[in-house]
Every structure is written in C-alpha cells, then in structure tokens.
Amino acid sequence: MLASQRRSVILDIVEDHGAVKVSELVERLGVSDMTVRRDIERLSSEGRLQRVHGGALAVGSERASDEPGFSAKSKLQQAQKRAIARAAAERVEPGIAIGISAGTTTYELAVAVADVPQLTVVTNSVPVAQLLHDTGAPGQTVVLTGGVRTPSDALVGPVAVGSLRSLHVDLLFLGAHGVDGRAGLTTPNLVEAETNRALVGTARQVCLLADSSKWGNVGLSTFADLSEVDLLVTDDALSSRGRVAAAELVGSLELVHVDEAERA
C-alpha cells in the first residue's frame, strides 16, 4: 500500500469513529508503529486530523471537558444505538424495577421497553421520563430524580444524589461518554459523574450500553470501573483489542450485529 493510500485509510477511520489509536492502526495496516506515527504527524501538519498522545482525533473532536448536548449526540451512531437498545431490552420483564441513566443510547432503551407493563423506572433523564409518561404501557411508574439539568438533559447534583440513596433497582441501564480499559466509564461533567455513581449504587445488576465508538474515549471524570459492569452490550465493530480488554474486565460481553447498510 502506498503512503498516500495508507493516509487515506487513516483519515477514513478517524472520520468514521472520531478517534483512533496508533496500536489499532498498526494492526489494521500491517505497518510499524513508527510508520503510523509519521503518517499521523503528516496529516496533522496538513490540518486534516488532530494528533494526540497514542493516536489521532478528527478535527474538531471533543476535549475531555467538552459536553455535547442531547440533540447533537442523538444524531450519532443511530443504527448502533437502536440495535444495542433492542438487545438489552430483552432482559426487561414485566413488574421489575429498572434504572435508566441519561443518554441517547439509554433513551433508545426506554423506547424499546415502553410497552412493557408494570415496570417501575427510576431515571435522571428528562427525555426518558417524558417518553414513558407519553407512551408507557399501563401500570408503569416513573420516578424522576430532581436536580439541575445539564446540556445532555440529565438531572444531576445533590438533590438527584439524595433521591437515589434510598432507592433500589433490579437492573440499571447505564450510558457513558467514554469507555476505557484503564479509565473505566467517564463523563466530561463532574457533577453528572457523582450522580451516575449514585445510580450505580442503586442497582443489583449494571448493564452498560455503549456503541463501539465510545471505546478508548476518556472524559474528565471516572464514575465507575469496568469491573462494576455485569453486562456490556455494544456493537460488533468493536476492535479486537477492545473485545479482549472488555471481556477480561466486565462480567459478560454481548456484541450486537449491525448491518453495514444501517450503520450511521
């Protein structure tokens, strides 16, 4: 493969996923670590991507402290999020108590379980609460925490944390801004991290819903270790390295197939 072709492949990967690690490119391209780093340096000097420690980001990618809004995030990886949510929703039975954290993938989970009767749903997500209020099956009870509303439409802060301390759910469906083998589950919002930790504390079992583009992203604050996750549901575009790391750290890993024609 010519150098120009190799750089084109690197750009395609970065544009598709928002970020890529040097180690992943070495495996994908079959070249040395130094060759990949030189390619990234060249593309960075041309302003076509952003070079970071250990990899590259798409131009304009979020920093660790950036917090995108709900509407912006809902446009990303739509097919993957729907497929992940449908797979995870199969674990929801009538009459149980579930928790649903704020996020766009967890919102799709709420869509998938809206027709399950007699559910009790604890959530700090304004869109999730509104959806279930409008379309939920008979007998559903929705408990919406109080708190301060963030750009991602999460209710956070001391009021939210206080309301969660005395609650218990059978199964928590949790989203994350980033998922990383070392950093765990992260968010760019420090106060939301505290609220997410409180949500984890309510649950007998934790199910993480995160599409493959989240792997390797690290936000400002860690709110849970991967070892606290009983089940990770993600799509089958997760890299081989990501699969190995996730399988070693979480209780169980489920990879959901998404047809290429449906991928966002």
Side-chain angles (χ1 to χ4, degrees), residues 27-87:
E27 181 179 352
R28 173 77 175 268
L29 298 171
V31 295
S32 69
D33 179 282
M34 188 59 67
T35 297
V36 168
R37 292 181 186 277
R38 282 198 298 264
D39 286 340
I40 289 176
E41 178 65 32
R42 170 71 176 271
L43 291 167
S44 176
S45 69
E46 295 172 353
R48 303 174 74 183
L49 53 70
Q50 180 182 350
R51 181 170 61 89
V52 295
H53 179 71
L57 300 176
V59 174
S61 292
E62 299 163 1
R63 295 165 296 180
S65 60
D66 287 340
E67 182 176 11
F70 182 88
S71 296
K73 290 193 293 184
S74 67
K75 296 179 175 65
L76 303 174
Q77 309 291 330
Q78 291 176 332
Q80 290 89 331
K81 291 174 181 178
R82 286 191 294 268
I84 289 166
R86 287 194 297 265

Side-chain angles (χ1 to χ4, degrees), residues 169-243:
V169 299
D170 299 300
L171 181 59
L172 170 65
F173 293 100
L174 188 63
H177 171 84
V179 183
D180 182 79
R182 292 184 178 179
L185 315 186
T186 61
T187 173
N189 188 309
L190 289 170
V191 185
E192 186 167 2
E194 181 186 20
T195 304
N196 283 344
R197 279 193 286 270
L199 276 165
V200 171
T202 69
R204 293 180 181 175
Q205 288 191 307
V206 176
C207 177
L208 173 63
L209 311 182
D211 68 78
S212 58
S213 71
K214 299 290 184 69
W215 188 267
N217 289 345
V218 178
L220 183 63
S221 179
T222 295
F223 60 86
D225 294 328
L226 276 169
S227 60
E228 298 177 73
V229 174
D230 297 290
L231 172 65
L232 166 58
V233 184
T234 187
D235 61 270
D236 58 0
L238 183 65
S239 69
S240 58
R241 291 176 183 269
R243 295 184 189 200

Side-chain angles (χ1 to χ4, degrees), residues 38-148:
R38 282 198 298 264
D39 286 340
I40 289 176
E41 178 65 32
R42 170 71 176 271
L43 291 167
S44 176
S45 69
E46 295 172 353
R48 303 174 74 183
L49 53 70
Q50 180 182 350
R51 181 170 61 89
V52 295
H53 179 71
L57 300 176
V59 174
S61 292
E62 299 163 1
R63 295 165 296 180
S65 60
D66 287 340
E67 182 176 11
F70 182 88
S71 296
K73 290 193 293 184
S74 67
K75 296 179 175 65
L76 303 174
Q77 309 291 330
Q78 291 176 332
Q80 290 89 331
K81 291 174 181 178
R82 286 191 294 268
I84 289 166
R86 287 194 297 265
E90 295 179 3
R91 292 160 176 81
V92 178
E93 301 175 352
I96 69 170
I98 66 173
I100 304 178
S101 77
T104 52
T105 310
T106 47
Y107 178 85
E108 291 296 337
L109 183 281
V111 172
V113 303
D115 61 349
V116 179
Q118 306 301 320
L119 277 183
T120 298
V121 180
V122 176
T123 186
N124 70 323
S125 167
V126 176
V128 165
Q130 188 65 54
L131 169 77
L132 296 178
H133 174 77
D134 293 340
T135 67
Q140 283 192 0
T141 300
V142 180
V143 180
L144 178 64
T145 71
V148 178

